[in-house]
Amino acid sequence: MSPPFTSSSEPPCRSSITSIFKPSWHSSTTHASKDEVGWGGFNQIYLVFRYPPRSVKLHTLLHIKKPLKMARRQVGHAGLPLMNIVRMKGVPILQQLEIEECLLRTSSDNWCIINDGADKPSIVMGVSGKPAGLVEIRPVLEDKIPVIRRFTGGGTVIVDHGTIFVSFICNKNDVADVQPYPRPIMSWSGLLYSQVFQGIADFRLRENDYVIGLRKFGGNAQSITKNRWIHHTSFLWDYETRNMSYLKIPERAPDYRLGRDHLDFICPMKDYLSRSDFISKTIDATRSHFSVKSTEFETVRLPSNPKFTPTSRLLTNQELEPAGKTSI
Amino acid sequence: MALRIWASSTANALRLSSATRPHFSPLSRCFSSVLDGLKYANSHEWVKHEGSVATIGITDHAQDHLGEVVFVDLPDTGGSVAKATGFGAVESVKATSDINSPISGEIVEVNTKLSDTPGLINSSPYEDGWMIKVKPSNPSELESLMGAKEYTKFCEEEDAAH
């Protein structure tokens, strides 16, 4: 099986792919090299995308020979529904969000997206987030930290290369014992991650946060459509303490926070688990619910839907500056 | 919030409510109330057809399962909706959930109170928490929706299956 792309290949269907996604705010282009592509064993599908720590264009991510297309419900080993695992490394969070929303809205397959680190620090707010109450506007503007509003609900996080993202995009009928509402979905994901941390850390789902003891190490959010849902998480494998100073303590906070500031409220996962172990254990836990099956790359297609426009977006300085003036 | 939802469910089960319902009688065999005289979609929206206008919102069952609504995203007046397709979303418990229109038509009014008071969807899902008013383009679509008894059974079966 040959890698899906090389540094010199061009995607024949770039026009159809870029019709799905809006161009990102990135300005330079890079190409993944052959030796940055990996294929997992154990009957797993990996589409591996790797980016050096520079800005990238979205279509570079999609050095895919053919667009992924909608497929009928697929059933794998032992009758379990199929889960396609997509592994990425260093993909910018805005591009990850655009991919996820497209898959949620236009695919009929199940997807597990794992992005091992974002390319640079970015603030990501939920769909209803208001910058003035969530973000220290002046330093964010001065330090040019991107502020993104994502398509899912929930609170505000700052992500960087120390963040590991895991997203599950599922047909509700493929997780049939879970009602497609926020709390049942979160209970399901909480049980999945309990398997990951079993015997390693005092993990639990507490007031909708992933915690070890009383400290949060993963922020999660969801979006639910008529027949599908996404549950995605940004895990703090590690973080820059100075980056937390860009965030305010939100007005709406869980009771267990007890008014603690960020550094007293969160903890890094690295104290418990290596990055690779966390990712492999997460994939193992996924196998309890799904069949992860290797598939010829050419048959893994993104659905082509020129009518779809992602809603996650980068906020402009003009949108942030009034908030900064108001808060002074 | 859990206590509030329990209280709301208990109040509903006892058919107690601060909202007046002069024209519709409650028909409830479960903790969520279902009003007679409305039509219901299997995605848990209700529609009340009066003359040339149909009012749309989400049911008590839906708001109860969603949790406290903190944000509502609704379309603009003058736009159109299509049967069984999304026209907006609510945010609750860190999740956005699509709202689907039970019928097709032109949006003639939007409940602007929901932008400041999204909790009306929880406290008054069939009255003050209405979302949009639509001029139906195909009134026969209403015939394919569920009545109150059918919807009640649908909710009971759905909850029992999980």
Side-chain angles (χ1 to χ4, degrees), chain A residues 131-154:
Chain A
L134 299 168
V135 169
E136 298 288 355
I137 302 292
R138 282 288 132 224
V140 162
L141 287 173
E142 286 168 5
D143 297 344
K144 296 183 174 55
I145 304 297
V147 180
I148 293 162
R149 179 173 283 129
R150 64 179 184 265
F151 67 100
T152 53

CSV table of all heavy atoms in Angstrom, one decimal, chain A residues 131-154:
chain,number,residue,atom,x,y,z
A,131,PRO,N,-16.1,37.3,23.7
A,131,PRO,CA,-14.7,37.5,24.1
A,131,PRO,C,-14.5,38.3,25.3
A,131,PRO,O,-13.6,38.0,26.1
A,131,PRO,CB,-14.2,38.2,22.8
A,131,PRO,CG,-15.1,37.8,21.7
A,131,PRO,CD,-16.4,37.6,22.3
A,132,ALA,N,-15.3,39.4,25.5
A,132,ALA,CA,-15.1,40.3,26.6
A,132,ALA,C,-15.1,39.6,28.0
A,132,ALA,O,-14.3,39.9,28.9
A,132,ALA,CB,-16.1,41.4,26.6
A,133,GLY,N,-15.9,38.6,28.1
A,133,GLY,CA,-16.0,37.9,29.4
A,133,GLY,C,-15.1,36.7,29.5
A,133,GLY,O,-15.0,36.1,30.6
A,134,LEU,N,-14.4,36.3,28.5
A,134,LEU,CA,-13.7,35.0,28.5
A,134,LEU,C,-12.2,35.2,28.2
A,134,LEU,O,-11.4,34.3,28.6
A,134,LEU,CB,-14.3,34.1,27.4
A,134,LEU,CG,-15.7,33.7,27.5
A,134,LEU,CD1,-16.3,33.1,26.3
A,134,LEU,CD2,-15.9,32.8,28.7
A,135,VAL,N,-11.8,36.3,27.6
A,135,VAL,CA,-10.5,36.5,27.1
A,135,VAL,C,-9.9,37.8,27.6
A,135,VAL,O,-10.6,38.8,27.6
A,135,VAL,CB,-10.5,36.4,25.6
A,135,VAL,CG1,-9.2,36.8,25.0
A,135,VAL,CG2,-10.9,35.0,25.1
A,136,GLU,N,-8.6,37.8,27.9
A,136,GLU,CA,-7.9,39.1,28.2
A,136,GLU,C,-7.6,39.7,26.9
A,136,GLU,O,-6.5,39.4,26.3
A,136,GLU,CB,-6.7,38.8,29.1
A,136,GLU,CG,-7.0,38.1,30.5
A,136,GLU,CD,-7.6,39.1,31.4
A,136,GLU,OE1,-7.8,40.3,31.1
A,136,GLU,OE2,-8.0,38.7,32.5
A,137,ILE,N,-8.4,40.6,26.5
A,137,ILE,CA,-8.3,41.1,25.1
A,137,ILE,C,-7.0,41.8,24.8
A,137,ILE,O,-6.4,41.6,23.8
A,137,ILE,CB,-9.5,42.1,24.8
A,137,ILE,CG1,-10.8,41.4,25.0
A,137,ILE,CG2,-9.4,42.6,23.4
A,137,ILE,CD1,-11.1,40.3,24.1
A,138,ARG,N,-6.6,42.7,25.7
A,138,ARG,CA,-5.4,43.5,25.4
A,138,ARG,C,-4.1,42.6,25.1
A,138,ARG,O,-3.5,42.8,24.0
A,138,ARG,CB,-5.1,44.5,26.5
A,138,ARG,CG,-5.9,45.7,26.6
A,138,ARG,CD,-5.6,46.7,25.5
A,138,ARG,NE,-6.8,47.1,24.8
A,138,ARG,CZ,-6.9,47.2,23.5
A,138,ARG,NH1,-5.8,46.9,22.7
A,138,ARG,NH2,-8.0,47.6,22.9
A,139,PRO,N,-3.8,41.7,26.0
A,139,PRO,CA,-2.6,40.9,25.7
A,139,PRO,C,-2.8,40.0,24.5
A,139,PRO,O,-1.9,39.7,23.8
A,139,PRO,CB,-2.4,40.1,27.0
A,139,PRO,CG,-3.6,40.2,27.8
A,139,PRO,CD,-4.3,41.5,27.4
A,140,VAL,N,-4.1,39.5,24.3
A,140,VAL,CA,-4.3,38.7,23.1
A,140,VAL,C,-4.1,39.4,21.8
A,140,VAL,O,-3.5,38.9,20.9
A,140,VAL,CB,-5.8,38.1,23.2
A,140,VAL,CG1,-6.3,37.6,21.8
A,140,VAL,CG2,-5.9,37.0,24.2
A,141,LEU,N,-4.5,40.7,21.8
A,141,LEU,CA,-4.3,41.5,20.6
A,141,LEU,C,-2.8,41.8,20.5
A,141,LEU,O,-2.3,41.8,19.4
A,141,LEU,CB,-5.1,42.8,20.7
A,141,LEU,CG,-6.6,42.6,20.5
A,141,LEU,CD1,-7.4,43.9,20.7
A,141,LEU,CD2,-7.0,42.1,19.0
A,142,GLU,N,-2.2,42.2,21.6
A,142,GLU,CA,-0.8,42.6,21.5
A,142,GLU,C,0.1,41.4,21.1
A,142,GLU,O,1.0,41.6,20.3
A,142,GLU,CB,-0.3,43.1,22.9
A,142,GLU,CG,-0.9,44.5,23.2
A,142,GLU,CD,-0.7,44.8,24.7
A,142,GLU,OE1,0.0,44.0,25.4
A,142,GLU,OE2,-1.2,45.9,25.1
A,143,ASP,N,-0.2,40.2,21.5
A,143,ASP,CA,0.6,39.0,21.2
A,143,ASP,C,0.1,38.3,20.0
A,143,ASP,O,0.6,37.2,19.7
A,143,ASP,CB,0.6,38.1,22.4
A,143,ASP,CG,1.3,38.7,23.6
A,143,ASP,OD1,2.0,39.8,23.5
A,143,ASP,OD2,1.1,38.2,24.8
A,144,LYS,N,-1.0,38.8,19.4
A,144,LYS,CA,-1.6,38.2,18.2
A,144,LYS,C,-1.9,36.8,18.3
A,144,LYS,O,-1.6,35.9,17.5
A,144,LYS,CB,-0.6,38.4,17.0
A,144,LYS,CG,-0.3,39.8,16.6
A,144,LYS,CD,0.7,39.9,15.4
A,144,LYS,CE,0.8,41.3,14.9
A,144,LYS,NZ,1.3,42.3,15.9
A,145,ILE,N,-2.6,36.5,19.4
A,145,ILE,CA,-3.1,35.1,19.6
A,145,ILE,C,-4.4,34.9,18.9
A,145,ILE,O,-5.4,35.7,19.1
A,145,ILE,CB,-3.3,34.8,21.1
A,145,ILE,CG1,-2.1,35.1,22.0
A,145,ILE,CG2,-3.8,33.4,21.3
A,145,ILE,CD1,-0.9,34.2,21.6
A,146,PRO,N,-4.5,34.0,18.0
A,146,PRO,CA,-5.8,33.8,17.3
A,146,PRO,C,-6.9,33.4,18.2
A,146,PRO,O,-6.7,32.6,19.2
A,146,PRO,CB,-5.5,32.6,16.3
A,146,PRO,CG,-4.0,32.5,16.3
A,146,PRO,CD,-3.5,33.0,17.6
A,147,VAL,N,-8.1,33.9,18.0
A,147,VAL,CA,-9.3,33.6,18.8
A,147,VAL,C,-10.3,33.0,17.8
A,147,VAL,O,-10.7,33.7,16.8
A,147,VAL,CB,-9.9,34.8,19.5
A,147,VAL,CG1,-11.1,34.4,20.3
A,147,VAL,CG2,-8.8,35.4,20.4
A,148,ILE,N,-10.7,31.8,18.0
A,148,ILE,CA,-11.6,31.1,17.1
A,148,ILE,C,-12.9,30.8,17.8
A,148,ILE,O,-12.9,30.4,19.0
A,148,ILE,CB,-10.9,29.7,16.7
A,148,ILE,CG1,-9.7,30.0,15.8
A,148,ILE,CG2,-11.9,28.8,15.9
A,148,ILE,CD1,-8.7,28.9,15.7
A,149,ARG,N,-14.0,30.9,17.1
A,149,ARG,CA,-15.3,30.5,17.6
A,149,ARG,C,-15.6,29.2,16.9
A,149,ARG,O,-15.7,29.2,15.6
A,149,ARG,CB,-16.4,31.5,17.4
A,149,ARG,CG,-17.7,31.1,17.9
A,149,ARG,CD,-18.8,32.2,17.8
A,149,ARG,NE,-18.6,33.1,18.9
A,149,ARG,CZ,-18.6,34.4,18.7
A,149,ARG,NH1,-18.6,35.0,17.5
A,149,ARG,NH2,-18.4,35.3,19.7
A,150,ARG,N,-15.8,28.1,17.6
A,150,ARG,CA,-16.0,26.8,17.0
A,150,ARG,C,-17.5,26.5,16.9
A,150,ARG,O,-18.4,27.3,17.5
A,150,ARG,CB,-15.4,25.7,17.8
A,150,ARG,CG,-15.9,25.6,19.2
A,150,ARG,CD,-15.2,24.4,20.0
A,150,ARG,NE,-15.9,24.3,21.3
A,150,ARG,CZ,-15.5,24.8,22.4
A,150,ARG,NH1,-14.4,25.6,22.4
A,150,ARG,NH2,-16.2,24.6,23.5
A,151,PHE,N,-17.9,25.5,16.2
A,151,PHE,CA,-19.3,25.2,15.9
A,151,PHE,C,-19.9,24.4,17.1
A,151,PHE,O,-21.2,24.2,17.0
A,151,PHE,CB,-19.4,24.4,14.6
A,151,PHE,CG,-18.8,23.0,14.7
A,151,PHE,CD1,-19.6,21.9,14.9
A,151,PHE,CD2,-17.4,22.8,14.5
A,151,PHE,CE1,-19.1,20.6,14.9
A,151,PHE,CE2,-16.9,21.5,14.6
A,151,PHE,CZ,-17.7,20.4,14.7
A,152,THR,N,-19.2,23.9,18.0
A,152,THR,CA,-19.8,23.2,19.1
A,152,THR,C,-20.0,24.1,20.3
A,152,THR,O,-19.6,25.3,20.4
A,152,THR,CB,-18.9,22.0,19.6
A,152,THR,OG1,-17.6,22.5,19.8
A,152,THR,CG2,-18.9,21.0,18.5
A,153,GLY,N,-20.7,23.6,21.3
A,153,GLY,CA,-21.0,24.4,22.5
A,153,GLY,C,-19.8,24.4,23.5
A,153,GLY,O,-18.7,24.1,23.1
A,154,GLY,N,-20.1,24.8,24.7
A,154,GLY,CA,-19.1,24.7,25.7
A,154,GLY,C,-18.3,26.0,25.9
A,154,GLY,O,-18.6,27.0,25.4
